[in-house]
Amino acid sequence: MAEQYGIAGGTAREISASVESRVADGTLRPGSSLPPVRRLAEELGVSAGTVASAYKELRGRGVVVTLGRGGTVVASVPAVTSRRPPRVPTGLRDLAGGHPDPACLPVLSPPARVAPVPGSHRASPRLAALEDAARDWFARDGVPTGSVTFAHGALDCIGRLLSTELRPGDSVAVEDPGFHHLLDLVPALGLRMLPVAVDDEGIRPEALRTALRTGTKALVCSPRGQSPFGGRFTPARRDELLAVLREFPDVLVVEDDHNAEIAGAEAVTLVSGGLPRWAQVRTVSKHLGIDLRWAALACDPATLARHDGRLLLTSGWVSHILQATVEDLLTDRSVTRLVAEAARTYAARREALCAALGEHGIAAHGVSGLNVWVPVRDESAVVNGLRTRGWWTAAGTRFRIATPPGVRVTTATLTPAEASVLARDFAEILVDSQAVYGG
């Protein structure tokens, strides 16, 4: 059995490392069963306690899960793998990346001169001018600004929040379908994911209540521009969700509003609803530049203290050169006008594809953000079919946990004329794939 799976080692650390290597190289795939503890111990010539310790370490790292009588199996999204998209083939129109249109971004202008720093910035990690700009940004949309800090991007911030608030084995409620990098991050922290279904108005209240009743410690969600589905909170849905969350006051609610400026939807947030534990993260990479790895965080005081305490122990602070660059952009009126025009452009392109697909009777979701989600029966058939016609789209498998199949199309650079052609190709490919299935 050990030879069959390539598991080796004489210590718990060696055995766990061997299993991780087999998962990383694909020998052990998601859902694969590991040998029972005593059987593997006998084959490796070690004690059962050694193997049990190895399995415990793997569970803590999110590589495997234990299913009771079902034994120990490789996690559906093990922490040693990644949902990174494949490289775009030469000659194809890239509609898979989720990136903004470079033509809609301002030219970055870092400070021309930077004086040497006497010591470090640990005592004053945030530039006052940028902190003021960040407070204004949050306050504009009704987000409380009593506690504001910075991080190196949304995932950096969310990862730090989850790692300081939760312990390995705790569960996190995540959107399904959801942001693929977050779906990689959660198990990498040794946490369990509980999928919460979404629709055009965001996460569904009953699905959230079901997740919270299992003892979920945190919820990560997007109030608008949700990737990949494009949902956004409406006032009615926000109120329904707040009613659910008030039944579970110890749950940390983290909103990822990374598309704030170009989502094409009004700000409707949970964090303005008086929750005891909350945080909202905003980034500028989608509307100011993908190389600006900076995020602003508004949160309750306890969450701020824990986040900043961990930040000071690791990277210490966000580069002041980066902060100065972001502050200039946030306060530049010409940049503000450019971003407003970009938001209108993205909305028009997204709506054009949804309308074109609708003309062919194809249901699609994309009421905000940079993407359109199209439910399909067979992701591979559709993605490969579109590839033969020059389109490169994203199979939904890396975005979903329990959600039915779909294809994500990034519309950020897709012109209305191209949308008509893509919709026609999409319709023809769906007909072909249905014929394969027998109608």
Side-chain angles (χ1 to χ4, degrees), residues 100 109 135:
S109 300
R135 291 182 189 278

Side-chain angles (χ1 to χ4, degrees), residues 181-397:
H181 291 306
L182 177 66
L183 301 188
D184 287 340
L185 175 63
V186 171
L189 296 174
L191 306 172
R192 296 188 299 118
M193 291 189 295
L194 290 180
V196 179
V198 302
D199 58 25
D200 289 340
E201 296 184 63
I203 52 179
R204 299 179 182 177
E206 287 308 311
L208 176 61
R209 179 177 277 109
T210 298
L212 296 181
R213 282 176 174 169
T214 67
T216 296
K217 301 293 185 181
L219 163 68
V220 182
C221 60
S222 299
R224 52 185 167 178
Q226 192 265 357
S227 179
F229 205 82
R232 82 288 185 243
F233 291 158
T234 60
R237 176 60 59 84
R238 185 250 337 261
D239 292 345
E240 290 180 278
L241 293 172
L242 284 174
V244 173
L245 289 166
R246 289 187 181 114
E247 301 174 22
F248 304 89
D250 294 331
V251 171
L252 173 65
V253 177
V254 181
E255 284 188 339
D256 179 6
D257 198 11
H258 64 286
N259 270 325
E261 296 305 287
I262 44 90
E266 296 295 325
V268 179
T269 76
L270 299 174
V271 302
S272 59
L275 297 173
R277 301 302 315 283
W278 63 274
Q280 187 182 95
V281 187
R282 291 190 176 186
T283 62
V284 296
S285 59
K286 295 296 186 184
H287 71 281
L288 295 183
I290 61 173
D291 201 40
L292 295 175
R293 312 311 299 170
W294 174 86
L297 170 67
C299 54
D300 66 88
T303 299
L304 177 87
R306 293 173 184 177
H307 174 276
D308 280 9
R310 181 65 62 85
L311 178 67
L312 287 172
L313 289 173
T314 53
S315 54
W317 66 90
V318 177
S319 163
H320 278 206
I321 299 174
L322 173 58
Q323 290 189 45
T325 303
V326 173
E327 192 271 330
D328 286 343
L329 291 167
L330 287 179
T331 56
D332 187 323
R333 292 184 179 180
S334 65
V335 172
T336 300
R337 290 192 293 270
L338 175 66
V339 171
E341 180 60 30
R344 290 188 288 270
T345 298
Y346 292 140
R349 291 172 177 174
R350 185 185 65 248
E351 293 165 3
L353 179 59
C354 288
L357 290 169
E359 292 175 359
H360 292 276
I362 302 172
H365 301 274
V367 294
S368 67
L370 303 180
N371 305 292
V372 168
W373 177 264
V374 188
V376 299
R377 179 183 293 180
D378 185 338
E379 293 176 0
S380 296
V382 173
V383 170
N384 289 331
L386 290 173
R387 177 178 179 174
T388 65
R389 300 185 181 218
W391 308 103
W392 185 249
T393 55
T397 184

